[in-house]
Amino acid sequence: MNPLKRLGRRRASVLALLAVAGLVTPAAATAAPDTVRASTLGAQAAQSGRYFGTAVAAGRLGDGTYTGILDREFNSVTPENEMKWDTIERSRGSFNFGPGDQIANRAAARGQRLRGHTLVWHQQLPSWVSSIRDANTLRGVMNNHITQVMNHYKGKVYAWDVVNEAFADGGSGQTRSSVFRDVLGTGFIEEAFRSARSADPSAKLCYNDYNIENWSDAKTQGVYRMVRDFKARGVPIDCVGLQSHFGAGGPPAGFQTTLSNFAALGVDVQITELDIAQAPTAAYANTVRACMNVARCTGITVWGIRDSDSWRSGENPLLFDRNGNKKPAYQSTLTALGGSAATRRTGAPSPRSAAALPSSFRWSSSGALIAPKPDATHNIAGIKDPSVVYYNGKYHVFASTASSAGYNLVYLSFSDWSQAGSATHHYLDRTPIGAGYRAAPQVFYNTQQRLWYLVYQTGNASYSTNPDISNPSGWSAPRNFYSSMPDIIRQNIGNGYWVDMWVICDSANCYLFSSDDNGHLYRSQTTVGQFPNGFTNTVIAAQDSKYALFEASNVYKVQGSNQYLLLVEAIGSDGRRYFRSWTASSLAGSWSPLAASESNPFAKSSNVTFPAGTWTRDISHGEMIRAGYDQTLTIPACKLQYLYQGKDPNAGGDYNSLPWRLGLLTQTNSTC
Ligand code: XIL
């Protein structure tokens, strides 16, 4: 039979699911390929859903060694001084955002997160503020400062240090004397957090302090009591920053206990200003390990790049020496983050070029790892179109279930690929997502809205949201991105189908891609602030003949580079599915071929080996294993992995009844 007669048919089905006992035997899971190990701090932290950041000084951004390390190693930045009161509002009501903007815009352009530091602090505070004696005046000044600054950086700052260093050292466990405490009382902290929440409801709000790392210290206990009280009374607070300016001994013995005790109050914890006198390898490793061991420890920031950049430069407390070379503590930090301890050799490719993708690919495939699990009410022939994120120590996989009766969605999670075959399948037709035609899911976390999004096709482009990815019943009922099919699609779709909706955002805009099984890739856009509403300006982003640009497009940001990667599924001259690839320097840009032909494909049976046995000749609809899980869809540049659908090469018949299974490709020609 001509395989082209068996093309995708993903129409809404009016048939109810048939209650037929399952006859499909799950394929045996094979040994899982190694998990990705990254070679930079940020990429490695991202493997566990964390960030690794640094303090940045605007005045050093002209130094190429500095920015080279900054962009290679770090995926979060904190302005070291540029967002402090004495820079931003040196005189009353006159705001100077220039230096802060320089850092913020630079970070946004590179997909790095931004921590805002800091709104209310007794230091680096202009004397016009510290000399105020009238409570109403000071309250107005404080709230205005918070509101103006947070408004200016709305949507750009991931977390704000709303109040910094409000507690006293020593044994009191009380707040310290400052103009804020002395004029407004200790309630100034609560007032600052409430103003901050109303100024930018989507930024995380942190309390930040030093000497709160040792659990038994009175200061730690004082801050803990405050956070517990805030949570109990509903005062908005999302995180506690532990500065972690350590002596040569490193963190106190109970550091991890402190992190987990704060986290247990229902806040994230972050290490916000790490530096350690003389940078002993073990001290750095112990600090990082404590964070890695606490699920809600979401990231680590070191307070500067090279020793010469440090506010404690006499103590050489950082990860890079004065010449920008990695110090031994760099390796122990990377290893503690779970990364490879291998040092880059001199003369090896520079990190910048190493971050770029190669122009041809080779892969090794697992066997079929995930097969459908039909039950009494779900008669399923194939599991298809996977979307996957690694979050909180688990892979979370969403996929289509297919049968002659139509399509719906399924969710499963597991900690390791060797467990994938035994994971429970949660059918999403019994959730608010509902029954009926739902297919080809894509999952990501929207950091601004703090919500998971599941994007899928229903005949329109639809989505559901969920605050908790691990709760299948938490998804909202489907809503549509468009009121109806955009005109340009209607005009070009011919006899095709509107399928495979895909959302990706940069720092300014979100883009919605889709395919038509007729040679067109479409793209609409909206702003990050308006998302999920306002998708407009639908254009043809790429076109080719029907089978050369068929469906299942994926678009990703390549970590550590300014490259975006586009993959589109094609049908080869042998009738088998394969992927072509292109790159672009912006999401709205034009796509240049990377490995885009049948003879040099991105992934096809011809460039994949099957050590566990050739169970498929199709490399069909799938998704890359990402470096993170947010709306930027960032993938590592090295040792790519791709979760895809394949099937028994001898299977035929109705497309919807084909026995699709999921397998994992691991890149074997990575040069970095
Ligand atoms: C430091 C900066 O690193 C210096 O450049 C500046 O002169 C003083 O402030 N706790 C904090 C940081 O919250 O803002 C401080 O940063 C270090 C201590």
Side-chain angles (χ1 to χ4, degrees), residues 365-670:
S365 178
S366 70
L369 299 176
I370 300 173
K373 293 191 174 173
D375 64 18
T377 54
H378 298 92
N379 172 34
I380 293 160
I383 184 162
K384 303 179 78 262
D385 316 324
S387 182
V388 55
V389 286
Y390 187 73
Y391 171 74
N392 246 346
K394 282 187 165 178
Y395 291 98
H396 300 262
V397 173
F398 294 81
S400 309
T401 54
S403 75
S404 57
Y407 288 80
N408 208 276
L409 303 176
V410 67
Y411 162 71
L412 54 151
S413 68
F414 44 86
S415 52
D416 197 88
W417 290 105
S418 63
Q419 307 294 310
S422 50
T424 303
H425 289 203
H426 300 274
Y427 292 107
L428 301 183
D429 58 341
R430 296 290 162 75
T431 74
I433 287 178
Y437 174 52
R438 283 104 177 82
Q442 183 214 4
V443 70
F444 62 87
Y445 185 67
N446 182 306
T447 48
Q448 269 88 27
Q449 299 171 13
R450 285 186 256 153
L451 274 179
W452 291 93
Y453 273 79
L454 194 65
V455 173
Y456 49 93
Q457 67 202 44
T458 56
N460 200 329
S462 302
Y463 66 93
S464 295
T465 60
N466 188 343
D468 177 5
I469 192 174
S470 64
N471 175 19
S473 52
W475 291 103
S476 63
R479 282 189 285 263
N480 293 336
F481 286 114
Y482 304 103
S483 53
S484 61
M485 184 189 283
D487 285 344
I488 190 168
I489 305 183
R490 198 178 302 284
Q491 290 151 12
N492 288 280
I493 192 167
N495 292 327
Y497 298 95
W498 188 26
V499 295
D500 300 332
M501 288 73 187
W502 181 273
V503 169
I504 178 170
C505 309
D506 58 24
S507 57
N509 295 305
C510 293
Y511 298 87
L512 173 47
F513 290 87
S514 59
S515 298
D516 67 0
D517 282 4
N518 194 34
H520 304 99
L521 176 70
Y522 302 101
R523 185 190 71 230
S524 310
Q525 77 181 70
T526 188
T527 62
V528 164
Q530 276 182 290
F531 178 82
N533 301 310
F535 273 110
T536 182
N537 290 338
T538 308
V539 297
I540 295 178
Q543 60 185 323
D544 204 329
S545 62
K546 178 180 175 94
Y547 301 126
L549 202 79
F550 199 60
E551 57 184 6
S553 65
N554 305 177
V555 186
Y556 304 97
K557 170 79 184 359
V558 182
Q559 191 165 48
S561 80
N562 295 323
Q563 257 187 340
Y564 292 89
L565 174 69
L566 165 68
L567 308 179
V568 184
E569 182 175 347
I571 302 176
S573 49
D574 58 355
R576 303 294 182 182
R577 304 298 185 105
Y578 74 102
F579 278 94
R580 305 171 66 202
S581 60
W582 295 259
T583 59
S585 56
S586 76
L587 284 168
S590 57
W591 296 97
S592 317
L594 181 67
S597 65
E598 224 182 314
S599 54
N600 180 27
F602 179 74
K604 190 181 192 319
S605 56
S606 55
N607 65 344
V608 176
T609 59
F610 290 88
T614 307
W615 63 279
T616 178
R617 304 304 292 167
D618 290 281
I619 308 292
S620 182
H621 195 135
E623 216 182 75
M624 204 76 88
I625 308 300
R626 302 175 211 164
Y629 50 83
D630 69 13
Q631 69 280 352
T632 64
L633 307 188
T634 304
I635 56 166
C638 297
K639 214 171 178 209
L640 302 178
Q641 290 192 297
Y642 196 78
L643 183 64
Y644 71 102
Q645 63 179 34
K647 62 170 167 57
D648 178 351
N650 299 315
D654 169 35
Y655 182 84
N656 292 357
S657 303
L658 291 172
W660 294 103
R661 304 284 181 267
L662 305 182
L664 185 68
L665 301 178
T666 298
Q667 190 190 354
T668 54
N669 70 326
S670 186

Side-chain angles (χ1 to χ4, degrees), residues 287-298:
T287 308
V288 171
R289 254 187 247 118
C291 180
M292 296 298 286
N293 288 340
V294 175
R296 289 198 76 161
C297 183
T298 56

Side-chain angles (χ1 to χ4, degrees), residues 107 112 115 134 223 227 235 253 257 318 340 344 355 372 416 529 536 558 592 600 602 618 620 651 657 659:
Q112 293 158 324
R115 290 194 86 265
D134 175 66
V223 173
V227 176
V235 180
T257 305
L318 295 175
S340 144
R344 191 175 296 284
D416 197 88
T536 182
V558 182
S592 317
N600 180 27
F602 179 74
D618 290 281
S620 182
S657 303

Side-chain angles (χ1 to χ4, degrees), residues 53-57 60-61 63 65-74 77 80 274 284 302-310 317-322 324-325 327:
T54 179
V56 165
R60 297 185 199 272
L61 292 173
D63 173 342
T65 308
Y66 184 82
T67 53
I69 303 172
L70 169 60
D71 296 339
R72 186 186 74 212
E73 297 288 343
F74 299 99
V77 303
E80 189 172 357
L274 179 62
Y284 263 100
V302 287
W303 206 241
I305 298 179
R306 299 162 300 195
D307 287 333
S308 48
D309 304 318
S310 171
L318 295 175
L319 300 177
F320 295 87
D321 70 18
R322 276 146 217 277
N325 297 316
K327 293 165 58 181

Side-chain angles (χ1 to χ4, degrees), residues 22-312:
L23 296 171
V24 184
T25 318
T30 55
D34 288 342
T35 47
V36 178
R37 286 193 188 285
S39 56
T40 65
L41 301 167
Q44 189 52 46
Q47 299 285 325
S48 67
R50 293 177 172 81
Y51 65 82
F52 201 96
T54 179
V56 165
R60 297 185 199 272
L61 292 173
D63 173 342
T65 308
Y66 184 82
T67 53
I69 303 172
L70 169 60
D71 296 339
R72 186 186 74 212
E73 297 288 343
F74 299 99
N75 52 11
S76 174
V77 303
T78 307
E80 189 172 357
N81 291 298
E82 292 74 357
M83 291 189 182
K84 291 174 181 174
W85 201 313
D86 65 352
T87 298
I88 285 201
E89 196 187 5
R90 177 168 279 285
S91 59
R92 185 170 176 175
S94 149
F95 289 84
N96 165 31
F97 292 115
D101 284 355
Q102 213 190 324
I103 296 177
N105 294 339
R106 195 180 184 288
R110 286 160 181 80
Q112 293 158 324
R113 286 188 202 207
L114 186 63
R115 290 194 86 265
H117 177 78
T118 174
L119 295 166
V120 180
W121 186 27
H122 64 282
Q123 287 190 13
Q124 294 179 270
L125 184 68
S127 55
W128 71 265
V129 184
S130 50
S131 57
I132 295 173
R133 290 291 166 265
D134 175 66
N136 284 337
T137 307
L138 184 60
R139 188 173 296 116
V141 159
M142 179 182 84
N143 289 336
N144 182 56
H145 181 78
I146 293 170
T147 307
Q148 300 287 336
V149 178
M150 288 186 78
N151 266 340
H152 181 81
Y153 288 109
K154 214 177 224 166
K156 294 192 172 154
V157 169
Y158 154 76
W160 271 105
D161 290 332
V162 178
V163 175
N164 197 33
E165 302 184 353
F167 276 72
D169 290 313
S172 76
Q174 304 297 316
T175 52
R176 72 166 71 235
S177 168
S178 73
V179 66
F180 301 107
R181 205 281 311 265
D182 299 346
V183 175
L184 298 175
T186 53
F188 87 90
I189 307 177
E190 172 170 350
E191 173 132 12
F193 275 87
R194 290 193 188 276
S195 304
R197 182 65 101 223
S198 43
D200 182 358
S202 60
K204 290 208 183 235
L205 308 181
C206 305
Y207 175 80
N208 192 53
D209 214 329
Y210 66 94
N211 281 354
I212 57 166
E213 294 84 11
N214 189 352
W215 176 241
S216 57
D217 282 358
K219 189 171 175 182
T220 310
Q221 293 296 310
V223 173
Y224 179 81
R225 280 193 298 271
M226 176 189 75
V227 176
R228 190 175 57 190
D229 169 59
F230 278 17
K231 293 303 282 185
R233 292 191 297 112
V235 180
I237 184 166
D238 305 305
C239 35
V240 173
L242 297 94
Q243 292 184 5
S244 309
H245 296 293
F246 292 134
F255 184 45
Q256 190 178 312
T257 305
T258 306
L259 293 175
S260 47
N261 286 350
F262 274 114
L265 293 176
V267 288
D268 290 343
V269 289
Q270 300 170 349
I271 296 174
T272 51
E273 302 181 14
L274 179 62
D275 49 18
I276 310 181
Q278 313 313 332
T281 53
Y284 263 100
N286 290 340
T287 308
V288 171
R289 254 187 247 118
C291 180
M292 296 298 286
N293 288 340
V294 175
R296 289 198 76 161
C297 183
T298 56
I300 299 173
T301 298
V302 287
W303 206 241
I305 298 179
R306 299 162 300 195
D307 287 333
S308 48
D309 304 318
S310 171
W311 72 313
R312 302 168 65 186

